[in-house]
Amino acid sequence: MSNATTARLSRRGLLAAGGALGLGAVLTACGDDKKDGGADTKGSGDTKSGPWSFKDDRGTTVKLDKAPAAIVAFTGVAAALYDYGIEVKGVFGPTTTKDGKADVQAGDMDVSKVTVLGNVWDQFNVEKYATLAPDVLISTMFDDAGTLWYVPEASKDKIAKLAPSIGISVFDRQLTGPLQRMWELAESLGADMKDAKITEAKKRFEAASERLRKAAKAKPEIKVMVGSASPELFYVSGTNLSIDLEYFKALGVNFVEPTEEAKKPTGGWFESLSWENVDKHKADVILMDDRSSAIQPADITEATWKQLPAVKAGQVIARSTEPILSYDKCVAPVEALAEAIEKAKKVS
């Protein structure tokens, strides 16, 4: 089976699983040279006038006569750029909830002011995309084959003909790498990275990371399990491949790890458990997928869930499974985990 076929099947399978924990293609892990920040070439060029270029994490350099103004991006990417003062014309991916409110992946964006090309998996209005006269399309990548997240397989060739694309990798590396790449992209697009709000957010992220490192060192006995809930199954994530978990693990957090045998069907992303077996792993703190595609803890009715020691102790917190890659949005998840470990009682 080719890498492209593997990626296509894996992504669909993971999403069909109800909010998959890794949400990416099941492919071989990237080499160590990619783990600390991906491609090493920044965007370049005068953003006010003159040529513009940016080398993405596929090694592809997009060159334009001037910095792109008509940007279309995956919702989470658009939310990150918004935090840096860069606004997009169109988005695709989870943007609004059923009641019309902003999805968690939309961050602080005013979703009423962007053109939504698709709100769910495999939905992308190519005709509407063309009317935006896009200069560039930007998305993340959950594999090492260059597959752009939420760009449908069936229409990707048509989409590619309308504008060049940029891919930022969020596969098998620590959070700080993609954060730096998004910073570089925003800077190339004209963001003022010396703005006080932006520099302060980076300092807060660094402080939160140090707090988490100290908490993990002070309480190494606290076991953290990462989960996601669907009507039929409970998913336990492994820490490899996901940018947030790899980073937290590097800071010393003691995670529950599914066995390699259990992760084989999903290529290493996660283990699937029936609700009857949700108590298979012992944990003191549970991190739960906060995306709208997953059942949230307050809505889980399974008796086996309610009997878990961490649940009974109130030691369940949300996880930003697809982090918005701005320092501002990555502060809260780090602080929340640090606080949870600091306050956690050993219950497993």
Side-chain angles (χ1 to χ4, degrees), residues 172-189:
D172 193 25
R173 60 202 65 206
Q174 293 181 26
L175 178 60
T176 45
L179 271 173
Q180 178 61 27
R181 293 294 286 147
M182 192 63 70
W183 175 288
E184 293 167 1
L185 176 58
E187 185 174 36
S188 81
L189 293 170

Side-chain angles (χ1 to χ4, degrees), residues 9-74:
L9 293 177
S10 301
R11 296 197 307 159
R12 293 181 187 279
L14 291 172
L15 259 152
L21 292 148
L23 278 183
V26 181
L27 295 172
T28 306
C30 294
D32 288 342
D33 59 322
K34 292 184 178 181
K35 289 199 174 206
D36 294 321
D40 59 2
T41 303
K42 293 184 181 180
S44 60
D46 185 346
T47 58
K48 294 181 180 179
S49 63
W52 177 91
S53 68
F54 187 84
K55 185 176 181 180
D56 76 358
D57 290 341
R58 299 170 297 185
T60 300
T61 300
V62 174
K63 298 181 179 180
L64 299 173
D65 292 337
K66 59 181 179 179
I71 301 170
V72 173
F74 171 68

Side-chain angles (χ1 to χ4, degrees), residues 294-302 305:
I295 299 175
Q296 296 307 299
D299 299 319
I300 299 175
T301 59
E302 300 290 341
W305 163 261

Side-chain angles (χ1 to χ4, degrees), residues 160 200 229 277:
E200 179 60 28
N277 295 314

Side-chain angles (χ1 to χ4, degrees), residues 21-291:
L21 292 148
L23 278 183
V26 181
L27 295 172
T28 306
C30 294
D32 288 342
D33 59 322
K34 292 184 178 181
K35 289 199 174 206
D36 294 321
D40 59 2
T41 303
K42 293 184 181 180
S44 60
D46 185 346
T47 58
K48 294 181 180 179
S49 63
W52 177 91
S53 68
F54 187 84
K55 185 176 181 180
D56 76 358
D57 290 341
R58 299 170 297 185
T60 300
T61 300
V62 174
K63 298 181 179 180
L64 299 173
D65 292 337
K66 59 181 179 179
I71 301 170
V72 173
F74 171 68
T75 303
V77 170
L81 292 176
Y82 182 88
D83 285 350
Y84 291 132
I86 304 297
E87 298 189 23
V88 306
K89 290 185 69 174
V91 297
F92 55 95
T95 306
T96 58
T97 58
K98 292 180 180 179
D99 58 5
K101 295 180 181 179
D103 188 275
V104 65
Q105 294 191 63
D108 292 334
M109 280 194 303
D110 183 345
V111 296
S112 69
K113 293 184 178 180
V114 293
T115 299
V116 181
L117 303 174
N119 200 53
V120 298
W121 184 254
D122 254 353
Q123 185 184 85
F124 192 113
N125 190 320
V126 181
E127 290 72 23
K128 188 181 290 186
Y129 176 55
T131 66
L132 297 177
D135 293 321
V136 68
L137 178 147
I138 311 172
S139 190
T140 48
M141 301 182 298
F142 280 89
D143 61 35
D144 57 2
T147 307
L148 296 173
W149 192 228
Y150 266 80
V151 173
E153 182 71 21
S155 55
K156 67 177 184 179
D157 292 338
K158 292 181 180 179
I159 292 168
K161 291 178 181 178
L162 294 171
S165 63
I166 289 173
I168 300 297
S169 181
V170 289
F171 176 71
D172 193 25
R173 60 202 65 206
Q174 293 181 26
L175 178 60
T176 45
L179 271 173
Q180 178 61 27
R181 293 294 286 147
M182 192 63 70
W183 175 288
E184 293 167 1
L185 176 58
E187 185 174 36
S188 81
L189 293 170
D192 178 8
M193 310 314 283
K194 294 182 180 179
D195 179 83
K197 183 178 179 180
I198 292 174
T199 56
E200 179 60 28
K202 189 172 184 180
K203 291 178 182 177
R204 288 189 292 112
F205 174 80
E206 292 168 348
S209 298
E210 179 61 15
R211 178 183 176 184
L212 178 56
R213 186 192 66 77
K214 290 180 178 179
K217 184 177 182 180
K219 288 190 171 182
E221 73 280 6
I222 297 299
K223 296 279 288 184
V224 179
M225 181 168 69
V226 182
S228 184
S230 77
E232 296 81 19
L233 296 169
F234 182 82
Y235 307 97
V236 178
S237 179
T239 58
N240 63 322
L241 306 182
S242 297
I243 57 173
D244 60 330
L245 303 185
E246 288 205 13
Y247 183 56
F248 298 158
K249 182 170 62 176
L251 292 174
V253 177
N254 183 8
F255 283 104
V256 168
E257 295 284 3
T259 64
E260 291 305 312
E261 190 64 29
K263 291 189 295 182
K264 278 185 179 179
T266 64
W269 285 101
F270 59 88
E271 174 183 8
S272 304
L273 297 175
S274 67
W275 283 103
E276 290 77 12
N277 295 314
V278 73
D279 61 352
K280 175 181 177 180
H281 300 288
K282 306 302 180 184
D284 304 294
V285 173
I286 302 177
L287 275 175
M288 289 294 289
D289 189 346
D290 71 350
R291 292 169 301 171

